[in-house]
């Protein structure tokens, strides 16, 4: 069975600085998808970024980028130029391709951006 | 921009009562999901639904739970006899042609007393 682990329960960063959130996963699959979701205090789940395992290039979305290390089964999220609005819980998630689309989430990392 | 909506935003019910949580997925999406999040914990998969049938369900999704897409636009989760441990945030999500991206609704907070 697939598992997703986020080992940092809480992190903080100064506004405008860069922060990296860690995620590791365990799977025997070769092809899969990885995601980062943001959950602000409103508790809405917002997709931040996605990575396909067959792509070697790391995904980037504006200030958000990932460092995907397939052999190490590591998928970290880097937030550059942190903003106060980035304060949220961040969840790493795994999906095995198929017709079910089941997402398996990590425990989450609470990120606080300080002014 | 299209979005997933959920009603109600907060539901309070007594133990043993039936509740129905409602979701309106994005209109051209084909894949539908329910997840739940107990306060302070991670988000857990409950069930996925495609082509008018359940495609996968978790161990949590026992006989007390059911899902339905009654009219082609709504997607509902019913809990027949609620327990205290059913108290959680319930999220609906939908996905388009590929299952790779899921868009979540704002959630329904269920409180069982």
């Amino acid at each position: 069975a697939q598992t997703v682990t986020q080992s940092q329960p809480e992190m903080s960063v100064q506004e405008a600085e860069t922060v990296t959130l860690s995620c590791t996963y365990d799977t025997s699959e070769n092809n899969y998808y990885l995601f980062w979701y943001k959950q602000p205090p409103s508790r809405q789940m917002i997709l931040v970024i996605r990575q396909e395992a067959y792509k070697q290039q790391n995904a980037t979305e504006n200030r958000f980028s990932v460092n995907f290390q397939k052999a190490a089964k590591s998928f970290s999220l880097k937030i550059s130029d942190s903003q106060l609005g980035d304060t949220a819980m961040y969840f790493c998630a795994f999906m095995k391709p198929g017709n079910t689309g089941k997402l398996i989430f990590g425990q989450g990392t609470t990120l606080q951006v300080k002014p | 921009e299209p979005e997933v909506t959920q009603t109600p935003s907060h539901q309070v019910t007594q133990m043993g009562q039936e509740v129905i949580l409602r979701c309106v997925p994005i209109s051209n999406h084909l894949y539908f999901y329910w997840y739940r999040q107990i306060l302070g914990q991670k988000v857990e998969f409950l069930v996925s639904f495609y082509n008018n049938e359940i495609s996968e369900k978790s161990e949590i999704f026992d006989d007390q739970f059911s899902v339905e897409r009654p009219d082609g636009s709504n997607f509902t989760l019913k809990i027949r006899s609620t327990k205290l441990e059913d108290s959680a945030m319930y999220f609906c999500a939908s996905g388009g042609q590929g299952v790779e991206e899921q868009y979540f609704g704002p959630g329904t907070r269920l409180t069982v007393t």
Side-chain angles (χ1 to χ4, degrees):
Chain A
Q2 291 84 9
T3 59
V4 178
T5 302
Q6 293 177 249
S7 58
Q8 305 154 313
E10 295 180 358
M11 293 192 72
S12 64
V13 64
Q14 291 295 131
E15 197 175 4
E17 299 286 303
T18 295
V19 64
T20 299
L21 309 183
S22 301
C23 173
T24 58
Y25 58 93
D26 188 26
T27 184
S28 58
E29 302 288 333
N30 187 49
N31 191 24
Y32 47 86
Y33 299 94
L34 295 163
F35 305 85
W36 280 98
Y37 279 87
K38 171 184 177 181
Q39 187 179 43
S42 66
R43 300 193 74 181
Q44 171 89 50
M45 295 288 287
I46 302 165
L47 177 63
V48 175
I49 200 165
R50 115 184 173 181
Q51 174 80 43
E52 292 92 339
Y54 61 85
K55 289 187 178 178
Q56 291 186 335
Q57 187 171 9
N58 289 323
T60 299
E61 285 287 340
N62 301 315
R63 298 182 295 106
F64 298 88
S65 61
V66 298
N67 183 6
F68 173 50
Q69 302 288 329
K70 191 173 183 180
K73 297 180 182 174
S74 169
F75 182 60
S76 60
L77 174 70
K78 184 170 84 170
I79 306 174
S80 304
D81 185 25
S82 298
Q83 300 175 358
L84 296 178
D86 295 333
T87 292
M89 177 85 96
Y90 287 81
F91 290 97
C92 177
F94 171 99
M95 180 196 291
K96 184 178 74 173
N99 65 347
T100 71
K102 171 183 174 181
L103 282 169
I104 299 170
F105 287 87
Q107 305 93 316
T109 296
T110 300
L111 175 67
Q112 177 155 23
V113 180
K114 298 179 178 178
Chain B
E1 186 174 327
E3 59 183 19
V4 177
T5 59
Q6 290 184 243
T7 54
S9 57
H10 190 192
Q11 173 90 48
V12 181
T13 189
Q14 289 189 327
M15 193 168 53
Q17 295 295 304
E18 174 183 287
V19 294
I20 297 176
L21 310 183
R22 292 183 166 79
C23 168
V24 178
I26 294 172
S27 62
N28 61 347
H29 281 186
L30 302 174
Y31 301 85
F32 313 108
Y33 312 87
W34 283 100
Y35 294 84
R36 81 171 186 189
Q37 184 184 30
I38 295 171
L39 187 64
Q41 298 187 21
K42 67 179 178 181
V43 179
E44 301 173 288
F45 170 81
L46 289 177
V47 66
S48 58
F49 191 86
Y50 170 73
N51 200 26
N52 283 322
E53 60 183 21
I54 290 173
S55 47
E56 186 172 356
K57 60 184 181 180
S58 72
E59 292 176 354
I60 303 167
F61 195 90
D62 61 21
D63 291 344
Q64 293 299 312
F65 291 87
S66 62
V67 289
E68 196 176 35
R69 191 160 157 75
D71 56 12
S73 61
N74 290 286
F75 180 51
T76 61
L77 173 69
K78 180 161 71 176
I79 309 175
R80 287 188 187 80
S81 179
T82 50
K83 306 182 187 70
L84 294 176
E85 54 264 36
D86 292 328
S87 293
M89 191 76 139
Y90 288 81
F91 291 101
C92 172
S94 69
Q97 284 294 329
V99 299
E100 297 87 16
E101 290 189 6
Q102 294 178 26
Y103 296 88
F104 282 72
T108 292
R109 182 186 298 178
L110 176 65
T111 303
V112 183
T113 61

